[in-house]
Amino acid sequence: MARVGLACFGSGVILLYGQTALPPLHWVILVTALAFLPPLYGRISGRKLPGTFLCVMIAAFLAGFAWSIWQAKTQLAERLPQSMEGKIVSVSGTLCGVPEPGSFGSVRFPFCVSQWHHLDAENLPSRLRLSWYGEDARRDLPPQLRLTVVLKRPHGAVNPRGFRYESWLFRQGYGATGTIRAVEPDLSVPCGITCHYHRWRGTLVDGLKAHLGNAESAPLIASLMLGYRGDLEAHHWQVLKATGTIHLVAISGLHLGLVAIAAGFLIRRLLIWAPEPWLSPARLRVITFAMVCSVTLIYALAAGFSVPTRRALLMVMVACWWVLSARKSQPFDAVLIAFFLVLLLDPLSPLDQGFWLSFGAVAVLTLVFSGLLGQKPWWQSLILAQVAIFAALWPILAFLDQGQPAIGFVANLIAIPLVSLLVMPAIFACAVILLLAPGIGDLAIGGLDMLLGGFWWFLQGISTIELPLLMPPMSQLIPAAVVIVLALVLPFTGFRLMAVTVVIFWLTFSAVYVVQPLGANKNPYTLSEVWVWDVGQGLSLLVRHEGRTLLYDTGPELEGVYSAVESVVVPNLRALGIEHIDTLVISHADNDHSGGIPQLHEHVSVGRIISGEPERLRKRLDSELGGRVEFCESSRISQRSFSYWRSVEGAQGNDASCVLTLSFNQGRQTLILSGDISEQAERAFLDEQGELEAIRSSHLVVLAPHHGSKTSSSRYWVDALQPDTVVFSAGYRHRYGHPHPEIVSRYEASGSRVFNTASSGAIRLVFGLEDVIVEEARTSAPFWIRRGTGAD
């Protein structure tokens, strides 16, 4: 019953994060109390009532559900009020993280607020994520500061698939994000234990970086030794992602487990020399457990005590308890206890991908090394463990919209032993030398730099091997994973050999047959629909019409920082089963409309490429892609249901945008994709439309020109079209101020319904026979994602 209770509690915590709204906490607590009454009565009276077991399950489940609701409500209550967005405010507090380099030469860091100056509001955020831009931005900051900042509420792009920055901010406990206008020390701020900790770790990081100097592997050493990844550059992440080894540079269970094993070995050897009367076997186990946990905790603190590090620390402590308690319980009891404790102490854990991958890996490794497979040579155990993890985690990765690099199996099979047996011991030895004998620190760092240089050479080399990103459907992944796990569990050699055979066949099948040459879409779509993706300040839009797919613009790209193609477009195309784009239209060559075209071409095949600025676009592409770019010429396709238009030859920049007009359901609905044209191009477009009355008589949807800029959507344009629906694609509270309030009011005055990706998330338009259905991604998003409609 205890095992079932722990499992049900954890399930209740997890269930909350699938909800679109927070249930009333008081009602959940009431039902939980009622469910506890029958078991409690049976305990007091000594009588076992029917249904007691079921009541315990329900009560434990609801207890976990209520616990996560309370934690979520507490965190949501600390969000910045909407009335304070964009205002200059002054706050005092302490650094709660080591400052790291950000985009455009900025410095970013988390800030723990102790005082909001000249404000009486309650429940203001206690944790901010701040960026400091300009020539004065620096990383060597004192821990106690007074800052002048401009803040906004937590916000990020919301699409059906892809990374959600807003979810990450909620998970990390940030109540607001913002930029810094002024910085000054503030010694009046009390420096508590958290402040002293971050000052201590900042000193460690600065000291290590000073010792490392110009070592070629300095970013990797800092990441592996102290969990500081601020100096890792874009090329590092590309190699780690291509080889599936990102987990090796995040201080997690592997690193803490190695520390615990080394500490346990040394401590046991030292304690053996103690006189026997002083230490009984039971006392020896207790002292060993306490010292191992202390050493592991110190390393976790030095490594930043991040969310995955804290989770790994807890799991390692539970594993140490199980081992040092003479293994009196089943190994899966330790996994279950760790599962319960992680969710009890950190109920937001299910929002981390690492939570699912960590417990999935631990569960599989428990099967492999708990005696179910018997004693095996170390190399066989290593291969079996890697096979099991690779197979069992693949469905989890697929559920999280992540592919499995085919080369990742080989890379991890070699990299994990190298890191475990060579790299991390060398890292720890170097750390001890720097601590106890800094005079020979340069010699130790030189040797470590050579070792990591060789390791990085291996990863770089294997990352250049071109193998496909394997993403077979769940219908293939889950059965294969189940077969392999069963083969590992059943104590027959034949089943284990079968597991290896299945993995080899599976990889071959996935690489050769599942990943076929691109050119056909998996899920043909019969209706006409348009997806306006939420890409921030930019534009990317998908049209599926008459059995064909068209992608209009690819959104912004900031090299090494953000790519709309990688973060938004490709994950959502993959979710829709689209592997081929019949026509890619790049309205014009501005970066917020044309980013990431080569990356798009790596994931999907592209037919025609059309642009209003072909020459300018070709300069940014290689010869193969650039040679395929066609000029946007005014034309009509498919019985006037599809037309291109571009302004006169001399037009450049925004006014060179390729404008598309699409007609649906025999002219009942019309869609105009206007790019970034200005008032002058708007007039030219309207003057050349011979069927303007027909367009106006249909249900007209217009993508607002230039994101709703004041230089576009002129009164002449709005009055001539009088659209039924207008969509703005803009960034949330972006410095450009799109869409301009005057433009929004102008469309609303003409009777238009207005939508903005900044407040609606991705917008789906379904063109039915009678009407146009508009769906907003934020309306069906989880409860911590803010709702919003319209253009505000």
Side-chain angles (χ1 to χ4, degrees):
M1 188 174 289
R3 295 186 181 98
V4 171
L6 294 179
C8 288
F9 178 91
S11 300
V13 172
I14 292 171
L15 177 68
L16 177 68
Y17 301 105
Q19 310 303 309
T20 58
L22 279 176
L25 179 59
H26 59 281
W27 286 111
V28 177
I29 293 175
L30 177 61
V31 177
T32 304
L34 293 176
F36 266 119
L37 289 179
L40 183 62
Y41 174 78
R43 183 92 175 180
I44 295 174
S45 64
R47 298 168 54 192
K48 186 175 181 180
L49 301 178
T52 298
F53 189 74
L54 179 61
C55 287
V56 169
M57 290 178 60
I58 295 174
F61 180 87
L62 291 176
F65 195 53
W67 173 243
S68 59
I69 292 174
W70 181 70
Q71 292 287 325
K73 286 176 69 71
T74 301
Q75 187 150 311
L76 289 174
E78 286 197 353
R79 282 188 171 176
L80 185 77
Q82 189 170 0
S83 60
M84 290 180 59
E85 286 190 298
K87 294 183 177 180
I88 298 177
V89 296
S90 178
V91 295
S92 291
T94 60
L95 296 177
C96 43
V98 178
E100 298 181 351
S103 57
F104 304 108
S106 66
V107 174
R108 62 188 180 194
F109 53 85
F111 190 72
C112 294
V113 181
S114 60
Q115 182 181 1
W116 292 78
H117 297 283
H118 313 299
L119 291 174
D120 297 327
E122 297 181 355
N123 295 325
L124 293 175
S126 60
R127 184 175 168 88
L128 309 176
R129 179 172 171 83
L130 301 175
S131 297
W132 188 12
Y133 295 89
E135 296 179 355
D136 296 332
R138 64 185 191 277
R139 286 189 271 175
D140 55 333
L141 293 169
Q144 298 148 287
L145 297 169
R146 177 165 178 162
L147 306 176
T148 302
V149 295
V150 177
L151 302 175
K152 62 182 179 181
R153 307 180 78 188
H155 192 94
V158 177
N159 296 281
R161 295 290 189 273
F163 175 70
R164 288 184 174 178
Y165 181 58
E166 195 166 337
S167 295
W168 183 85
L169 291 172
F170 173 73
R171 171 67 185 98
Q172 300 297 322
Y174 292 111
T177 62
T179 57
I180 297 173
R181 298 292 181 88
V183 178
E184 59 181 291
D186 189 352
L187 297 179
S188 66
V189 176
C191 189
I193 186 171
T194 302
C195 170
H196 283 293
Y197 161 66
H198 289 294
R199 174 188 289 175
W200 170 72
R201 183 166 182 266
T203 302
L204 288 180
V205 172
D206 292 340
L208 176 61
K209 292 173 70 174
H211 279 293
L212 293 175
N214 296 322
E216 186 176 348
S217 302
L220 292 173
I221 296 173
S223 177
L224 291 168
M225 189 179 292
L226 292 179
Y228 178 77
R229 298 189 286 177
D231 292 334
L232 289 175
E233 299 178 0
H235 71 274
H236 290 111
W237 294 112
Q238 290 171 1
V239 171
L240 293 169
K241 183 179 179 180
T243 55
T245 53
I246 290 179
H247 63 96
L248 295 179
V249 297
I251 304 302
S252 57
L254 173 65
H255 310 78
L256 292 178
L258 291 172
V259 171
I261 291 172
F265 176 81
L266 293 175
I267 292 168
R268 288 291 291 244
R269 289 297 178 271
L270 291 174
L271 291 178
I272 284 177
W273 296 98
E276 186 174 350
W278 292 8
L279 293 177
S280 64
R283 185 176 296 174
L284 177 64
R285 288 196 295 270
V286 171
I287 294 175
T288 303
F289 172 73
M291 295 183 71
V292 168
C293 289
S294 299
V295 171
T296 310
L297 174 61
I298 291 172
Y299 177 63
L301 290 170
F305 215 55
S306 61
V307 170
T309 304
R310 294 197 299 267
R311 180 174 59 245
L313 174 66
L314 188 56
M315 296 172 73
V316 167
M317 286 182 171
V318 172
C320 291
W321 162 80
W322 181 77
V323 171
L324 296 173
S325 63
R327 307 178 185 182
K328 295 179 181 179
S329 58
Q330 295 295 323
F332 268 101
D333 288 347
V335 178
L336 185 59
I337 291 172
F339 175 75
F340 167 75
L341 290 176
V342 166
L343 292 174
L344 178 67
L345 299 176
D346 187 9
L348 299 178
S349 289
L351 295 178
D352 291 327
Q353 294 184 357
F355 170 83
W356 302 99
L357 297 174
S358 296
F359 276 103
V362 168
V364 172
L365 291 176
T366 302
L367 285 176
V368 174
F369 294 109
S370 64
L372 294 176
L373 295 178
Q375 297 297 322
K376 289 287 181 183
W378 69 268
W379 61 270
Q380 290 187 20
S381 297
L382 176 65
I383 294 175
L384 287 173
Q386 190 61 34
V387 168
I389 290 176
F390 191 81
L393 296 190
W394 203 345
I396 299 177
L397 287 169
F399 179 77
L400 297 173
D401 294 321
Q402 294 188 21
Q404 184 82 288
I407 199 63
F409 177 79
V410 178
N412 279 280
L413 189 62
I414 299 173
I416 290 177
L418 284 177
V419 170
S420 303
L421 302 177
L422 289 178
V423 174
M424 290 309 298
I427 288 281
F428 298 146
C430 184
V432 173
I433 291 173
L434 292 176
L435 185 64
L436 302 179
I440 60 173
D442 291 343
L443 182 63
I445 288 175
L448 183 59
D449 191 31
M450 291 181 59
L451 176 62
L452 276 171
F455 176 68
W456 190 249
W457 172 84
F458 160 73
L459 288 182
Q460 282 183 312
I462 204 168
S463 69
T464 60
I465 300 176
E466 294 187 3
L467 290 179
L469 183 70
L470 303 179
M471 296 197 69
M474 279 287 191
S475 58
Q476 296 176 15
L477 286 174
I478 294 178
V482 170
V483 167
I484 293 172
V485 172
L486 287 177
L488 293 174
V489 172
L490 295 176
F492 302 104
T493 303
F495 282 99
R496 295 166 194 162
L497 294 175
M498 184 183 71
V500 177
T501 304
V502 167
V503 169
I504 294 174
F505 174 78
W506 186 19
L507 290 175
T508 304
F509 179 82
S510 297
V512 177
Y513 294 100
V514 176
V515 185
Q516 296 177 353
L518 300 175
N521 294 325
K522 295 179 181 178
N523 303 318
Y525 195 74
T526 56
L527 296 177
S528 296
E529 71 167 358
V530 173
W531 280 97
V532 185
W533 307 123
D534 185 4
V535 296
Q537 185 63 30
L539 175 64
S540 183
L541 177 150
L542 174 74
V543 179
R544 294 207 280 184
H545 178 47
E546 296 180 346
R548 299 177 67 83
T549 58
L550 178 146
L551 187 65
Y552 188 82
D553 287 346
T554 54
E557 179 185 33
L558 298 174
E559 186 175 357
V561 179
Y562 173 75
S563 169
V565 164
E566 292 185 348
S567 299
V568 178
V569 178
V570 168
N572 285 280
L573 292 179
R574 186 183 296 139
L576 294 172
I578 294 175
E579 296 182 348
H580 177 72
I581 300 294
D582 295 292
T583 306
L584 171 62
V585 178
I586 303 299
S587 60
H588 61 302
D590 282 3
N591 183 63
D592 60 332
H593 292 254
S594 61
I597 296 176
Q599 291 82 359
L600 175 71
H601 192 253
E602 291 175 3
H603 292 87
V604 299
S605 63
V606 178
R608 300 179 65 193
I609 304 177
I610 300 172
S611 176
E613 292 188 295
E615 291 300 327
R616 187 177 164 208
L617 188 62
R618 290 187 189 114
K619 295 178 181 179
R620 299 173 49 191
L621 304 175
D622 59 30
S623 57
E624 191 275 329
L625 274 177
R628 296 172 51 192
V629 180
E630 306 173 25
F631 181 72
C632 174
E633 296 183 1
S634 299
S635 61
R636 295 188 180 277
I637 301 174
S638 185
Q639 298 180 351
R640 300 193 174 190
S641 67
F642 195 126
S643 68
Y644 294 97
W645 180 88
R646 184 190 183 277
S647 188
V648 294
E649 287 291 336
Q652 295 180 346
N654 291 343
D655 280 346
S657 295
C658 186
V659 179
L660 270 65
T661 303
L662 295 91
S663 177
F664 302 93
N665 299 313
Q666 298 179 347
R668 292 187 181 92
Q669 300 102 14
T670 304
L671 171 67
I672 298 178
L673 306 178
S674 54
D676 275 359
I677 59 175
S678 66
E679 180 175 353
Q680 181 180 355
E682 290 173 354
R683 284 182 173 273
F685 172 81
L686 293 173
D687 292 343
E688 294 180 25
Q689 296 302 307
E691 300 178 355
L692 191 57
E693 284 301 322
I695 292 175
R696 289 183 53 175
S697 63
S698 66
H699 186 119
L700 177 58
V701 180
V702 171
L703 180 71
H706 200 192
H707 319 285
S709 166
K710 195 175 181 180
T711 60
S712 302
S713 296
S714 62
R715 191 169 300 281
Y716 181 75
W717 167 272
V718 175
D719 291 343
L721 292 177
Q722 295 185 5
D724 299 276
T725 304
V726 175
V727 177
F728 298 98
S729 179
Y732 180 74
R733 299 191 69 85
H734 195 269
R735 65 180 185 274
Y736 292 152
H738 296 159
H740 194 279
E742 181 180 327
I743 301 303
V744 175
S745 300
R746 184 174 296 167
Y747 278 114
E748 289 178 334
S750 71
S752 304
R753 290 193 304 164
V754 293
F755 298 89
N756 184 0
T757 56
S759 54
S760 300
I763 298 171
R764 182 184 181 222
L765 304 163
V766 180
F767 292 84
L769 294 177
E770 301 298 333
D771 202 357
V772 178
I773 301 173
V774 181
E775 299 176 359
E776 303 167 88
R778 282 188 176 268
T779 60
S780 58
F783 64 86
W784 62 89
I785 300 291
R786 292 193 293 119
R787 302 293 186 265
T789 57
D792 295 336

